[in-house]
């Protein structure tokens, strides 16, 4: 079977699994029916929906600061375009992150950014995204503890797993930045682990060589942009959590903020699951199971989770289409195929 055929097959299987999880598994786990869910959704007005859309745009706007902090010379508007374009592609395919990254490369290269600068940005923002999602269950535990809302065993286990994973990723990242010797050791270790995956593919350099090559540029980006990137991530998740709370209140889920944040954190952590596009189905089932388990009305909890998924996942597809249209109308930088060509100043365009 050709690689293209395998990719199509994976996409079909992933989409079918997402439909099955949402259509059958989601209401079953929530202990409700789709009819009851849609009855709850009738409570949402057009004005409230426009407010929810505004919060989504504010969250995406905050993320542009993370993007521009990792790629000097990128304007906020262009960061917004490339973000929604990449996200829309990622949300359409299982494991679509690789396709979304390819789209990001294509757009940024057309604006004159070098491959190495884009690669550095991808690595740094990837680490920031991963650490942020891992941190959410830990914050949820703190909120539940402060609010005396009880600490469910499942969330405690997830928080411990997230803590260990986060510390390992953070320690490896800091070691690469702080020590050339550590960077080489980690690179060699990754080569041993990843080497079998690349035996049939031609590589211009090993992982160890890539880590060494990019270490100086990653150091510079982190040194100058870590505050901006961190505040961008906080704003992004902050507005999405506010959206989550307001949606839940609208459909009739009136629970403590700590419990709502715990359900939100579980969903955001599981968006990284690559078996379905953007983790669709998996995140909704886990989030609604948590809310119902903590005493939320089943039909209201299911309606809230479903509506939140529409605004944070499905909505990115038409937004991405608008983003691709906007990109098609932006000026291109010609002759930008060389690795060492200077980055064009795009801020302010």
């Amino acid at each position: 079977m050709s690689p293209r055929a395998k990719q199509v097959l994976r996409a079909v299987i992933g989409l079918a699994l997402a439909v099955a999880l949402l259509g059958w598994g989601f209401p079953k786990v929530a202990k409700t029916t789709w009819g009851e869910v849609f009855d709850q959704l009738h409570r949402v007005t057009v004005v409230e929906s426009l407010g929810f859309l505004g919060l989504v745009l504010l969250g995406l706007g905050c993320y542009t600061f993370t993007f521009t902090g990792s790629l000097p010379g990128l304007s906020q508007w262009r960061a917004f375009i490339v973000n929604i374009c990449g996200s829309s592609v990622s949300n359409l395919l299982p494991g679509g992150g690789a396709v979304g990254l390819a789209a990001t490369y294509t757009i940024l290269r057309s604006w004159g950014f070098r491959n190495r600068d884009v690669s550095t940005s991808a690595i740094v923002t990837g680490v920031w995204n991963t650490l942020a999602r891992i941190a959410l269950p830990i914050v949820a535990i703190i909120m539940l503890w402060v609010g005396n809302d009880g600490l469910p065993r499942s969330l405690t286990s997830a928080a411990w797993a997230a803590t260990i994973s986060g510390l390992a990723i953070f320690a490896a990242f800091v070691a690469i930045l702080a020590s050339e010797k550590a960077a080489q050791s980690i690179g060699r270790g990754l080569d041993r682990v990843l080497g079998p995956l690349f035996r049939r593919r031609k590589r211009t350099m090993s992982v160890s060589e890539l880590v060494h090559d990019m270490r100086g540029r990653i150091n510079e980006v982190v040194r100058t942009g870590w505050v901006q990137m961190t505040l961008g991530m906080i704003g992004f998740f902050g507005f999405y959590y506010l959206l989550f709370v307001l949606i839940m209140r609208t459909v009739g889920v009136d629970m403590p903020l700590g419990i709502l944040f715990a359900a939100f954190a579980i969903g955001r952590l599981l968006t990284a699951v690559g078996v379905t596009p953007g983790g669709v189905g998996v995140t909704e089932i886990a989030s609604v199971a948590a809310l119902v388990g903590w005493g939320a009305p089943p039909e209201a909890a299911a309606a809230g989770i479903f509506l939140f998924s529409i605004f944070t996942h499905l909505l990115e597809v038409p937004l991405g289409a608008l983003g691709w249209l906007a990109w098609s109308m932006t000026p291109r930088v010609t002759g930008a195929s060389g690795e060492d060509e200077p980055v064009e100043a795009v801020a302010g365009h």
Side-chain angles (χ1 to χ4, degrees), residues 164-243:
I164 295 172
S165 302
L167 288 175
I169 294 172
F170 183 71
F173 190 65
V174 171
I176 290 173
L177 298 183
S179 169
E180 174 69 22
K181 184 177 180 180
Q184 292 177 352
S185 298
I186 293 172
R188 287 192 295 268
L190 290 174
D191 262 328
R192 286 192 293 270
V193 173
L194 300 177
L197 300 177
F198 295 101
R199 283 174 181 170
R200 296 183 180 180
R201 298 183 182 182
K202 183 179 179 180
R203 291 190 292 167
T204 58
M205 63 175 61
S206 66
V207 177
S208 178
E209 292 169 332
L210 180 64
V211 169
H212 172 75
D213 179 65
M214 300 187 71
R215 178 173 170 264
R217 287 177 286 117
I218 292 175
N219 256 316
E220 179 63 20
V221 167
V222 172
R223 183 183 66 81
T224 58
W226 74 270
V227 173
Q228 179 178 331
M229 290 187 294
T230 302
L231 291 177
M233 291 302 306
I234 292 173
F236 172 70
F237 283 116
F239 278 114
Y240 270 39
Y241 173 56
L242 178 59
L243 171 68

Side-chain angles (χ1 to χ4, degrees), residues 71-72 104-105 107-122 214 217 333 335-344:
L71 188 57
T104 298
Y105 267 84
I107 295 172
L108 291 175
R109 291 290 296 133
S110 74
W111 291 336
F113 289 93
R114 296 178 299 179
N115 281 339
R116 291 185 175 186
D117 295 317
V118 179
S119 298
T120 302
S121 171
M214 300 187 71
R217 287 177 286 117
V333 176
S337 59
E339 277 294 306
D340 297 321
E341 291 176 358
V343 178
E344 295 290 330

Side-chain angles (χ1 to χ4, degrees), residues 40-61 236 238-253 300 303-313 315-316 319:
Q40 291 294 122
L41 291 177
H42 288 156
R43 303 174 58 169
V44 182
T45 66
V46 174
V47 173
E48 289 169 335
S49 297
L50 291 175
F52 298 154
L53 174 60
L55 288 174
V56 170
L57 295 176
L58 285 172
L60 294 174
F236 172 70
F239 278 114
Y240 270 39
Y241 173 56
L242 178 59
L243 171 68
F244 187 81
V245 171
L246 291 179
I247 286 177
M248 288 301 165
R249 295 287 191 259
T250 300
V251 298
V253 178
I305 294 296
F306 182 64
L307 189 59
F308 181 73
S309 182
I310 289 176
F311 277 98
T312 58
H313 184 91
L315 187 65
E316 287 191 351
L319 283 178

Side-chain angles (χ1 to χ4, degrees), residues 128-186:
W128 248 249
N129 270 281
T130 302
L131 291 177
R133 281 172 168 77
I134 286 174
L136 290 176
I138 302 171
V139 176
I141 287 290
I142 296 172
M143 292 182 68
L144 290 174
W145 180 73
V146 172
N148 294 315
D149 297 316
L151 300 177
R153 183 182 298 274
S154 59
L155 181 62
T156 304
S157 300
W160 274 111
T163 301
I164 295 172
S165 302
L167 288 175
I169 294 172
F170 183 71
F173 190 65
V174 171
I176 290 173
L177 298 183
S179 169
E180 174 69 22
K181 184 177 180 180
Q184 292 177 352
S185 298
I186 293 172

